[in-house]
């Protein structure tokens, strides 16, 4: 603690799907949407993408996060429904973990580093005093 409250945002899957739909909509998509088939198609595409990110591609998998609050071994991503993203540093946490505090451990760590770098550089830049 002590770093103050950091704003967090929770991914909005409806807005994300809306962006996809408005970006690549065809007449067939609108017909499929009306029939209920488009959401099934989008669900399948999401499943393929998540399987790629979580299991098949080491580069994508490496972009995941470990929750710094509970330190569980599961890798979490900003698109997971039960996660929050720090708007300041983009760290990802489980929603349940962050609900217990208002401080982002990564932001706190960055602030401490900046403070120690400033302190060291001040000591280096300070003129030496004669004895």
């Amino acid at each position: 603690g002590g770093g103050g409250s950091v704003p967090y945002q929770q991914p909005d899957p409806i807005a994300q799907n809306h962006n996809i739909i408005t970006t690549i909509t065809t007449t067939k998509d609108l017909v499929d949407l009306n029939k209920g088939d488009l959401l099934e198609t989008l669900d399948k595409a999401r499943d393929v993408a998540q399987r790629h990110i979580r299991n098949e591609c080491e580069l994508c998998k490496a972009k995941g996060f470990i929750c710094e609050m509970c330190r569980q071994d599961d890798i979490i991503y900003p698109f997971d429904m039960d996660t929050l993203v720090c708007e300041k540093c983009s760290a990802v946490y489980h929603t349940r973990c962050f609900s217990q505090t208002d401080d982002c451990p990564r932001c706190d760590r960055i602030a401490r580093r900046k403070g120690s770098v400033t302190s060291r550089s001040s000591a280096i830049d300070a003129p030496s005093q004669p004895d």
Side-chain angles (χ1 to χ4, degrees):
S5 181
V6 176
Y8 277 78
Q9 64 187 28
Q10 188 161 13
D12 183 353
I14 294 170
Q16 290 171 352
N17 286 341
H18 175 72
N19 289 339
I20 291 169
I21 291 170
T22 58
T23 304
I24 58 171
T25 303
T26 65
T27 304
K28 182 186 179 316
D29 292 337
L30 295 174
V31 170
D32 287 349
L33 180 62
N34 192 38
K35 292 186 337 188
D37 295 341
L38 182 60
L39 292 179
E40 183 179 328
T41 301
L42 290 174
D43 283 341
K44 288 178 184 175
R46 181 200 60 223
D47 292 345
V48 167
Q50 285 192 13
R51 187 171 47 252
H52 170 85
I53 292 167
R54 294 179 190 277
N55 304 319
E56 298 170 355
C57 178
E58 291 300 317
L59 292 175
C60 290
K61 189 176 183 178
K63 293 180 187 274
F65 291 80
I66 299 291
C67 178
E68 290 187 51
M69 293 184 181
C70 69
R71 301 202 184 275
Q72 289 181 355
D73 288 339
D74 61 320
I75 299 172
I76 57 176
Y77 297 89
F79 56 80
D80 289 336
M81 294 298 294
D82 62 341
T83 60
L84 292 173
V85 178
C86 176
E87 291 181 354
K88 189 172 180 183
C89 73
S90 299
V92 180
Y93 302 99
H94 293 111
T95 303
R96 68 182 179 276
C97 295
F98 190 76
S99 66
Q100 299 171 15
T101 181
D102 286 335
D103 295 329
C104 169
R106 186 174 184 200
C107 286
D108 288 348
R109 190 171 56 253
I110 291 168
R112 282 193 307 274
R113 269 193 214 133
K114 285 183 179 176
S116 66
V117 168
T118 303
S119 297
R120 281 187 295 215
S121 65
S122 297
I124 293 170
D125 294 340
S128 57
Q129 299 293 325
D131 292 310

